[in-house]
Amino acid sequence: MAVGCLLLAAVASWSGFLLVVAGRVIPGWLVGSALLLVLLVVMGTLAVRRRVTGRTPAGNRGVPARLVLALLGAAAGLGSAVGGVGDLTGGADYRLLEPPGPGGCRAVTRETSFLVAGRGEVYAVGAAGIGRRTGSWTADDGLRPIARGSYELHWGDDGGVLLVSGTPTDPVMSGLQEVACR
């Protein structure tokens, strides 16, 4: 169980996916952090219980199993730290865009700004609430066009198209993005 949970936490931390739950956007690195924290609490509780009752764990874990657990834990922790620092230093702003598309498909954007460069990403979120990145754009002078409302989102039968616009002095590069929940 521990290996599976740590593997899931590492994948969640490094994969760049996100979740939408009850209209709130949860980045993958935060999901990985939560899984890692829950696993550490459970493992700590079990260790204390074994120590108090004097029981030894069933199936004594050897060095290779402990090494796998340590490596997966380190990967999950590092992935969560990298994702969290990236979001915090760039002031990441996640937005669930309106209107929703066919079949429950949604578009979520993530905008960051560092020094004089702005960056945005669009995620296609299926009915299950799991989003994957489908495109990105850059903006001059740290512009955040989604936050300013400078975008258009249109849906068709096969998905959506997001058009992100800048200003004449602060253009957006690669502002036409496909949003497909296939």
Side-chain angles (χ1 to χ4, degrees):
M1 177 190 106
V3 171
C5 194
L6 279 173
L7 184 61
L8 186 58
V11 168
S13 299
W14 287 101
S15 67
F17 84 97
L18 54 78
L19 292 176
V20 175
V21 178
R24 294 207 175 274
V25 179
I26 304 168
W29 65 266
L30 192 55
V31 172
S33 297
L35 286 170
L36 186 59
L37 180 63
V38 166
L39 183 64
L40 290 174
V41 168
V42 168
M43 289 175 69
T45 303
L46 291 175
V48 167
R49 179 187 251 177
R50 281 192 302 268
R51 190 168 293 199
V52 168
T53 62
R55 293 183 186 168
T56 58
N60 191 9
R61 290 192 181 115
V63 173
R66 287 190 179 133
L67 182 62
V68 167
L69 287 173
L71 289 174
L72 285 172
L78 184 62
S80 294
V82 167
V85 167
D87 271 7
L88 295 175
T89 59
D93 180 31
Y94 292 87
R95 294 189 186 243
L96 182 61
L97 302 184
E98 294 293 338
C105 188
R106 300 295 304 259
V108 169
T109 59
R110 174 184 180 267
E111 287 185 304
T112 58
S113 178
F114 187 72
L115 297 176
V116 294
R119 178 167 170 77
E121 299 168 339
V122 63
Y123 294 79
V125 181
I130 300 172
R132 62 177 175 74
R133 192 170 75 114
T134 60
S136 64
W137 64 89
T138 56
D140 199 15
D141 289 338
L143 180 72
R144 295 181 183 222
I146 301 294
R148 298 176 91 183
S150 300
Y151 69 91
E152 294 177 33
L153 177 60
H154 301 282
W155 294 98
D157 293 336
D158 294 336
V161 174
L162 176 65
L163 176 60
V164 182
S165 305
T167 67
T169 57
D170 297 322
V172 171
M173 284 65 74
S174 303
L176 184 62
Q177 300 294 324
E178 180 183 352
V179 183
C181 292
R182 309 180 202 114

